[in-house]
Amino acid sequence: MQIEKITIFGGYDKEGKKGNFEKVDILAGQKIGIVGPTGSGKSQLLYDIEKLAYGETKTKRKILINDEIPEKELKLDPIKKIIGYLTQHMNFMTDTSVHNFLKTHIETRGKRQTKEQIENLIEKIIEDANTITGEKIKKSTNLLILSGGQSRALMVADLAYISESPIILIDEIENAGIKIKNALELLVKKEKIIFLVTHDPILALDTDKRFAMKNGAIKEVIHTSIKEKGIANYLSWINDYLLDVREEVREGKQVEELKLICSPMGK
Amino acid sequence: MKIIIFGGTPGSGKTSIIKYVVGELKGLKIHYAKFDVLSSDDDKRIKEKFDISTEVKISGELCPDHYAALEIPKIIEKHKDKDIIIIETAGLCLRCSPYIKDSLAINVLNILAGKPEGYGPLLRDADLVAVTKGDLISQAEREIFRAEVLKVNKNTSLIEANGLTGEGAIDIADAIKKSPEIKEKMVLRHSMPTAVCGYCYGNKIIDSEETLKRYHLGKELKARIPNLNCGKCGFKACNEFIRAVLDGEVNENKCPYLKKEGEK
């Protein structure tokens, strides 16, 4: 299913008061941050989106897809389900190689593809996953021995290429040891809509909009300024540098160079 | 009256899910019965939270599915005034399923507990599968798991549920509201192991007279076959053969050692 637009209507906060905005539109390829203290309603918002709520949840929030009320089938039929989820707690549990795992998943999706197409897709997924993590993933590696960062990177690349969910919900994955900005770029490139619960400034300031949550409702929709995006880029550069040095240390190298200069707008 | 049966292996999250589902069924008269093999205090916990009538049935030495089938008519008799009876059963050996035709059969399935093809009628005969603990594994594996569940039971609806957050409870409650009322004669979806009583000769009708009738028929036939479990009739055991004869699937002459009626 092609999703061009999601519309979220305000809903009510914990005291039953109406939130102070009417509705917000989100377009394909946009990143939306969800910020706010514990208990402010971030998870409930993700839940409402995941459910494609239409007034039946406790916030009475309503969500439209392409200006229409989503069909019930979209919520229940696994093949049509349009929401992908990625959280910090997720692990792989299948005892098989990365290659076999991806192959099974591609076949599960039921697309008729030649052996060669499948092999090429697997190569591409691993290649892109390796731009997200510092430690290289190999085809033959067993899924269960992947590190936290490698697992997360593979999950992101898999979400981008195989799980065709056009909407992706990401719940606090900032500390997972991955180049998170590359990860998001990979998903956005695929025209996905991303909702991202985060307190990490690199992520929150690199979105198109962010929802500031309070007392169960969306209190404000903040449009990310150019300046904020610049700050996000700069912080991201520092983060990537940190990961690079970490890799050098991991590989038993002497760290030779201190990088001081960077372009604030990044590459 | 609707009968809702939640079946699932221990630790799959049945009770936690049921708590959220009961919360979504406000205004309906509900009775909750939990079947367990050893012990349980889930009845007290649910009563405390929702102030509905609850009870626990411990099967002890009996097969829990046999016990449930024997007890369910009594429970219904006592709770005729209720709209919904929720039956939760654990301790299943996966040979059977506790589901009754015309009930809503819900299998709570822990995604971390192995491959769907390892489950028999518990999964295969369910109207609805509530997959739990999916928040702990990747989207990719959840999709593979769903495909595997649908391979085992292609007619089921699959709901991702979470006993901690209550995810999926609204959808389960919806399915409950839309489920059919039970009819006069309740029939199990899957027969129980054939062994010593009427049910054990494959009776599926929940009714003590029917069970007794079946028992006598089975006993009569059993007296005329040698109980060698030789397998020449095509069945693994004589009792399974007796069940098939009584269900009309096979002629009793299939047993090469069958004694005629009255023959010593």
Side-chain angles (χ1 to χ4, degrees):
Chain A
M1 181 185 179
Q2 193 59 43
I3 294 194
E4 282 137 27
K5 189 165 101 180
I6 303 177
T7 310
I8 300 178
F9 288 88
Y12 295 84
D13 71 8
K14 285 175 183 168
E15 271 121 47
K17 274 189 268 172
K18 211 168 173 6
N20 47 6
F21 84 105
E22 196 56 34
K23 61 167 193 168
V24 58
D25 289 330
I26 299 139
L27 305 176
Q30 287 193 332
K31 275 179 286 181
I32 308 300
I34 300 172
V35 298
T38 307
S40 59
K42 302 190 294 293
S43 298
Q44 180 66 38
L45 177 59
L46 284 191
Y47 180 70
D48 288 350
I49 297 170
E50 219 232 325
K51 283 264 83 83
L52 299 174
Y54 202 76
E56 72 272 39
T57 62
K58 57 186 171 193
T59 59
K60 304 269 189 291
R61 215 169 255 137
K62 289 182 178 175
I63 291 166
L64 298 180
I65 301 279
N66 298 341
D67 291 321
E68 282 169 23
I69 300 171
E71 291 167 52
K72 185 87 184 158
E73 276 190 344
L74 288 180
K75 311 181 190 188
L76 292 180
D77 186 334
I79 304 298
K80 292 186 185 157
K81 200 160 179 182
I82 52 171
I83 313 265
Y85 225 126
L86 188 61
T87 77
Q88 197 162 342
H89 309 294
M90 282 180 182
N91 282 300
F92 287 118
M93 60 158 203
T94 314
D95 184 9
T96 187
S97 69
V98 169
H99 176 269
N100 281 343
F101 171 72
L102 292 173
K103 189 158 169 271
T104 310
H105 190 200
I106 293 167
E107 285 164 359
T108 301
R109 274 282 164 174
K111 279 201 198 150
R112 280 168 209 279
Q113 299 199 60
T114 64
K115 267 189 183 164
E116 205 191 336
Q117 284 170 322
I118 292 179
E119 289 307 316
N120 289 342
L121 183 56
I122 293 173
E123 293 282 344
K124 181 76 187 140
I125 292 167
I126 296 177
E127 191 187 312
D128 276 7
N130 281 333
T131 65
I132 302 171
T133 170
E135 322 148 65
K136 298 283 170 248
I137 302 167
K138 291 198 199 93
K139 270 206 291 205
S140 58
T141 315
N142 189 296
L143 268 190
L144 300 181
I145 62 162
L146 294 180
S147 73
Q150 286 175 319
S151 296
R152 225 65 62 203
L154 190 60
M155 283 178 205
V156 170
D158 178 283
L159 272 178
Y161 286 98
I162 311 180
S163 297
E164 289 172 327
S165 330
I167 302 170
I168 299 196
L169 310 180
I170 298 178
D171 200 352
E172 302 196 34
I173 62 162
E174 46 263 38
N175 298 319
I178 58 174
K179 297 181 183 176
I180 185 73
K181 218 162 158 291
N182 293 9
L184 294 180
E185 268 160 27
L186 180 59
L187 294 171
V188 167
K189 213 163 65 187
K190 289 289 190 178
E191 286 291 290
K192 311 231 183 221
I193 294 175
I194 300 174
F195 290 93
L196 185 75
V197 169
T198 185
H199 303 124
D200 185 331
I202 301 177
L203 297 178
L205 300 182
D206 190 45
T207 52
D208 295 280
K209 294 169 194 159
R210 55 188 193 273
F211 296 165
M213 305 298 298
K214 199 179 172 190
N215 202 23
I218 302 173
K219 193 192 156 224
E220 208 176 335
V221 179
I222 303 168
H223 291 260
T224 315
S225 68
I226 303 243
K227 200 171 177 184
E228 284 178 328
K229 290 206 172 198
I231 295 170
N233 263 315
Y234 180 63
L235 293 175
S236 169
W237 181 87
I238 294 171
N239 185 50
D240 288 356
Y241 178 39
L242 201 64
L243 280 177
D244 288 344
V245 175
R246 192 162 108 164
E247 269 324 290
E248 285 179 53
V249 172
R250 191 199 296 268
E251 283 162 21
K253 288 182 191 156
Q254 184 109 47
V255 181
E256 301 281 0
E257 205 184 343
L258 174 63
K259 289 193 212 164
L260 284 173
I261 304 156
C262 76
S263 117
M265 292 309 286
K267 41 190 164 187
Chain B
M1 180 194 287
K2 298 172 196 291
I3 305 273
I4 313 300
I5 302 181
F6 283 83
T9 50
S12 54
K14 294 181 294 303
T15 311
S16 315
I17 302 268
I18 287 171
K19 277 191 197 162
Y20 279 103
V21 170
V22 169
E24 295 291 340
L25 292 172
K26 281 186 197 106
L28 293 165
K29 274 182 248 141
I30 301 174
H31 176 69
Y32 165 85
K34 161 101 177 199
F35 283 85
D36 213 323
V37 182
L38 301 173
S39 70
S40 172
D41 60 356
D42 291 334
D43 59 330
K44 294 193 190 81
R45 290 198 279 151
I46 287 188
K47 187 169 186 57
E48 218 168 79
K49 193 155 182 203
F50 300 106
D51 195 30
I52 58 171
S53 77
T54 64
E55 68 187 308
V56 156
K57 296 271 183 186
I58 302 295
S59 62
E61 296 294 315
L62 286 180
C63 157
D65 282 350
H66 278 85
Y67 181 63
L70 294 166
E71 291 297 313
I72 286 170
K74 297 182 202 163
I75 295 174
I76 292 171
E77 191 58 36
K78 248 196 282 176
H79 294 281
K80 278 191 166 156
D81 61 316
K82 304 290 190 300
D83 302 313
I84 294 174
I85 293 185
I86 293 177
I87 291 164
E88 177 186 347
T89 112
L92 311 154
C93 67
L94 304 182
R95 152 64 178 78
C96 305
S97 79
Y99 309 136
I100 297 170
K101 284 177 192 165
D102 300 323
S103 72
L104 180 71
I106 302 173
N107 177 207
V108 181
L109 189 58
N110 173 358
I111 202 167
L112 304 174
K115 296 201 170 227
E117 63 254 36
Y119 295 86
L122 182 63
L123 171 58
R124 207 173 53 230
D125 294 346
D127 300 309
L128 199 154
V129 178
V131 177
T132 55
K133 308 190 199 254
D135 56 327
L136 298 175
I137 64 163
S138 64
Q139 173 92 12
E141 279 168 299
R142 268 181 286 151
E143 285 177 12
I144 293 170
F145 191 82
R146 281 165 172 162
E148 284 172 350
V149 166
L150 293 172
K151 251 190 246 166
V152 177
N153 181 349
K154 65 176 192 306
N155 299 317
T156 197
S157 332
L158 227 135
I159 289 174
E160 293 197 343
N162 188 324
L164 297 175
T165 62
E167 182 194 349
I170 293 175
D171 300 318
I172 296 172
D174 251 13
I176 289 176
K177 287 173 192 161
K178 285 181 194 142
S179 69
E181 304 281 317
I182 47 156
K183 306 220 172 82
E184 277 294 298
K185 189 167 275 187
M186 288 185 286
V187 179
L188 290 173
R189 296 186 187 197
H190 192 86
S191 69
M192 298 191 189
T194 47
V196 292
C197 66
Y199 290 120
C200 305
Y201 288 120
N203 175 40
K204 288 163 82 176
I205 300 166
I206 299 189
D207 182 88
S208 51
E209 293 230 1
E210 289 282 352
T211 309
L212 194 61
K213 205 161 90 193
R214 181 78 163 210
Y215 174 67
H216 285 306
L217 286 171
K219 211 170 107 182
E220 188 268 326
L221 198 51
K222 188 141 180 168
R224 292 162 52 219
I225 60 171
N227 284 298
L228 293 171
N229 295 324
C230 70
K232 285 183 185 161
C233 59
F235 292 88
K236 277 187 194 140
C238 294
N239 271 19
E240 188 56 22
F241 173 65
I242 292 170
R243 183 203 59 74
V245 172
L246 295 179
D247 281 343
E249 287 170 21
V250 62
N251 191 290
E252 60 179 34
N253 296 332
K254 267 272 181 186
C255 173
Y257 306 106
L258 181 85
K259 291 178 199 158
K260 297 275 152 37
E261 283 189 69
E263 192 182 329
K264 295 264 160 160

